[in-house]
Amino acid sequence: MNYRHAFHAGNFADAVKHAALTAVLLYLSRKEAAFAVFDSHAGAGRYDLKGREAKKTGEAAAGVGKLRALKADGALGAWLDLVRGEGEDTYPGSPLIAAKLLRPQDRLIAAEMHPQDAQTLKETLAQFRKARVVEGDGYRMLAANLPPPERRGLVLIDPPFEEDDEFEQMGRAFTNAYRRFATGVYLLWFPLKDVAGAERFMGEVLAAGVTKALRIDFAVEAKEEKLSAAGLLVVNPPFGFFDEMEKNLSVLSPLLGGAAGAAKVSWIVGAE
Ligand SMILES: C[S@@+](CC[C@H](N)C(=O)[O-])C[C@H]1O[C@@H](n2cnc3c(N)ncnc32)[C@H](O)[C@@H]1O
């Protein structure tokens, strides 16, 4: 396990993923009924943008660094407020964003396998009474905790793609999770290096019986060795999410050095 998110936190892919995460959580908050959030690959929760890792890659500077002055409304504005609230040198990861958006009736379970990042995450989330950290395999955490008694919620699956069979692992984990919790919203992140692998993964998700899902693609102009294209598969997207993310991408893409025409939202099954 070599991957450390500290090298990549706040990059273009995080910006799109975390704006989408915020949009889903704000949507779930519209109803009074409690919801649960499951973050299977949570990372450390909070990242030092002045640290060695962030400086080495420069990804945060080219990502969230370009968005500091952006004024936006809706979920994009809410996410940016949350980021700015952490101060200029710090970036909040997915479990911290989720923890901050929970209401007293909601809860979060965040799994992280790397012992050091899991420890940092425990410290980061210690102040949030309704957030629990599991040190270990996030796919197992999902199997052990779905369906949630609340019957409403979000599952975020955001693996590091260090292993060759990550798409297969994620596909299996999704199928199991969806079988138990078909009404949940799912945010599934993937890199777009292995295009055929991504297509097979879409096929597996559809084969699970999903009736409503969209896909977000985004890419930036980048030097060869860096990740330059990524996607998010969103199963059971909330009503209005498609339009909101289309609008958000049109704002984010030029600021993040988006490749021409490479940011798009498309239905893969069902539509509004
Ligand atoms: C892409 S990062 C997560 C970033 C985080 N979701 C965010 O948006 O801020 C992936 C994380 O998964 C962790 N990891 C790798 N394999 C795992 C597994 N099987 N279960 C849980 N965590 C895992 C890595 O240590 C890494 O911190």
Side-chain angles (χ1 to χ4, degrees):
M1 251 193 357
N2 291 320
Y3 181 94
R4 308 301 299 278
H5 197 60
F7 289 97
H8 311 291
N11 69 4
F12 78 99
D14 263 10
V16 175
K17 173 179 64 188
H18 293 155
L21 171 67
T22 303
V24 173
L25 293 173
L26 292 182
Y27 176 86
L28 287 170
S29 303
R30 284 195 209 160
K31 273 196 192 151
E32 198 45 40
F35 63 81
V37 180
F38 302 92
D39 188 346
S40 65
H41 295 69
R46 191 178 258 134
Y47 301 93
D48 176 10
L49 299 184
K50 290 272 182 284
R52 180 186 65 85
E53 295 92 340
K55 282 201 169 146
K56 183 159 185 224
T57 62
E59 289 186 27
V64 68
K66 304 281 183 204
L67 306 176
R68 294 265 170 214
L70 176 62
K71 296 215 176 4
D73 53 15
L76 182 57
W79 167 66
L80 285 166
D81 284 347
L82 219 145
V83 170
R84 289 186 197 110
E86 287 287 314
E88 233 178 79
D89 300 342
T90 309
Y91 184 76
S94 56
L96 183 55
I97 293 170
K100 289 198 160 185
L101 293 175
L102 295 182
R103 303 160 304 168
Q105 64 269 46
D106 308 324
R107 68 192 170 101
L108 162 70
I109 304 184
E112 170 54 46
M113 184 98 115
H114 194 289
Q116 205 176 323
D117 284 353
Q119 183 53 38
T120 309
L121 182 58
K122 282 180 189 163
E123 289 159 19
T124 302
L125 296 187
Q127 68 180 108
F128 299 95
R129 224 171 37 82
K130 303 303 285 290
R132 181 156 74 85
V133 176
V134 173
E135 180 178 336
D137 181 24
Y139 294 134
R140 277 177 188 234
M141 179 277 280
L142 294 181
N145 287 282
L146 297 181
E150 295 88 346
R151 298 273 160 186
R152 303 179 70 225
L154 164 69
V155 177
L156 169 64
I157 306 184
D158 180 22
F161 280 83
E162 267 186 315
E163 293 173 33
D164 290 344
D165 67 343
E166 194 74 67
F167 269 126
E168 286 78 11
Q169 286 192 53
M170 183 156 73
R172 273 196 303 276
F174 170 76
T175 303
N176 282 334
Y178 187 76
R179 211 172 274 147
R180 293 157 189 257
F181 184 36
T183 54
V185 181
Y186 291 81
L187 278 184
L188 312 168
W189 185 91
F190 53 93
L192 267 170
K193 282 182 191 155
D194 170 10
V195 174
E199 290 302 328
R200 275 197 303 278
F201 170 66
M202 300 292 150
E204 194 162 350
V205 168
L206 290 181
V210 165
T211 53
K212 193 178 169 196
L214 60 77
R215 169 182 175 157
I216 300 173
D217 289 73
F218 42 99
V220 292
E221 311 277 3
K223 299 204 184 81
E224 320 82 53
E225 79 280 9
K226 287 200 176 156
L227 173 70
S228 61
L232 269 178
L233 181 58
V234 188
V235 173
N236 297 331
F239 187 80
F241 180 85
F242 184 103
D243 291 344
E244 176 152 29
M245 285 310 294
E246 232 180 17
K247 186 171 141 217
N248 290 345
L249 287 182
S250 71
V251 175
L252 290 175
S253 191
L255 292 170
L256 296 172
K264 60 176 191 287
V265 188
S266 43
W267 289 107
I268 61 165
V269 62
E272 276 159 8

